[in-house]
């Protein structure tokens, strides 16, 4: 049970036709729906990033999942977006997130973005000129803004979602002795 009750406006949304990943996202959206204008603005921001951005969905999903690990957001960890799967995301790539700097199946751009995302989530003041110089080898200035905003949304909304404990529709967790992580947790696909 979530720590914040969902908006009653979402009670009428039929969920029987939704996949498990979409039901998880609906749980977060239903809580955000308590402030409809804010939920709409956040939805518009994420839609603008998705519709107008130039970064590959696979790269953005890897970044989101790496941040989800640091946030310990169980719902964020469990969801994989179909657009990223269509762009080549597979569980081998997700498993690479445990040690992305050493992963041979990640591109240089992905490793650079993941380094930025990790610092953003754990020690943002360590992001200095050298980090941006490394990023500029792979990304344009516009893409750096896109990556930064994507990280900000993933970090902020993910941390908030973790505090709300939106776990009602999560897949059954495999036995694991470690912290929940994208590379050791069951996953479900969401549209988008």
């Amino acid at each position: 049970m979530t720590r914040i009750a969902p908006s009653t406006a979402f009670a009428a949304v039929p969920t029987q036709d939704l996949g498990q990943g979409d039901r998880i996202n609906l749980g977060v959206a239903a809580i955000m729906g308590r402030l409809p204008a804010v939920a709409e603005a956040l939805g518009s921001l994420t839609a603008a990033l998705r519709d107008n951005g130039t970064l590959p969905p696979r790269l953005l999903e890897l970044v989101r999942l790496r941040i989800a690990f640091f946030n310990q957001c169980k719902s964020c960890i469990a969801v994989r977006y179909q657009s990223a799967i269509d762009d080549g995301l597979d569980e081998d790539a997700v498993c690479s997130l445990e040690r992305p700097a050493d992963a041979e199946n990640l591109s240089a751009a992905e490793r650079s973005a993941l380094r930025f995302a990790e610092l953003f989530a754990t020690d943002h003041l360590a992001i200095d000129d050298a980090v941006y110089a490394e990023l500029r080898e792979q990304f344009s200035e516009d893409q750096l803004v896109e990556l930064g905003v994507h990280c900000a949304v993933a970090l902020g909304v993910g941390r908030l979602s973790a505090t709300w404990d939106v776990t009602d529709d999560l897949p059954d967790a495999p036995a694991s002795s470690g912290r929940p992580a994208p590379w050791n947790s069951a996953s479900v696909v969401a549209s988008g």
Side-chain angles (χ1 to χ4, degrees):
M1 179 120 196
T2 64
R3 292 184 178 121
I4 302 286
S7 164
T8 56
F10 281 79
V13 175
T15 60
Q16 68 272 14
D17 295 332
L18 294 178
Q20 193 171 8
D22 290 322
R23 286 195 312 273
I24 292 167
N25 285 341
L26 182 62
V28 173
I31 295 170
M32 291 289 257
R34 291 185 152 281
L35 299 174
V38 172
E40 183 178 348
L42 181 59
S44 294
L45 172 62
T46 57
L49 282 169
R50 181 184 61 245
D51 297 343
N52 299 298
T54 62
L55 293 175
R58 172 186 151 114
L59 179 143
L60 293 174
E61 184 71 343
L62 290 167
V63 163
R64 185 190 68 78
L65 289 169
R66 186 72 176 149
I67 290 172
F69 168 69
F70 292 109
N71 285 345
Q72 283 296 283
C73 177
K74 293 175 186 167
S75 54
C76 301
I77 286 169
V79 172
R80 310 284 187 273
Y81 286 97
Q82 186 63 52
S83 59
I85 293 167
D86 293 345
D87 192 39
L89 181 77
D90 57 23
E91 287 304 306
D92 287 339
V94 173
C95 288
S96 296
L97 292 174
E98 187 171 12
R99 285 189 289 285
D102 302 329
E104 294 179 10
N105 61 338
L106 299 177
S107 70
E110 290 168 340
R111 283 192 300 277
S112 181
L114 287 164
R115 178 172 179 249
F116 175 81
E118 181 169 338
L119 288 171
F120 193 87
T122 63
D123 187 12
H124 65 284
L125 296 178
I127 299 172
D128 57 12
D129 292 341
V131 172
Y132 274 102
E134 176 189 328
L135 286 166
R136 282 189 178 92
E137 292 175 16
Q138 306 296 327
F139 303 106
S140 70
E141 294 294 298
D142 290 350
Q143 289 174 322
L144 292 177
V145 173
E146 181 183 350
L147 177 63
V149 173
H150 182 76
C151 287
V153 170
L155 185 70
V157 174
R159 287 188 176 181
L160 183 58
S161 295
T163 72
W164 288 342
D165 197 32
V166 182
T167 57
D168 294 344
D169 288 303
L170 292 183
D172 292 332
S176 174
S177 60
R179 292 171 54 187
W183 53 87
N184 70 8
S185 299
S187 64
V188 293
V189 177
S191 59

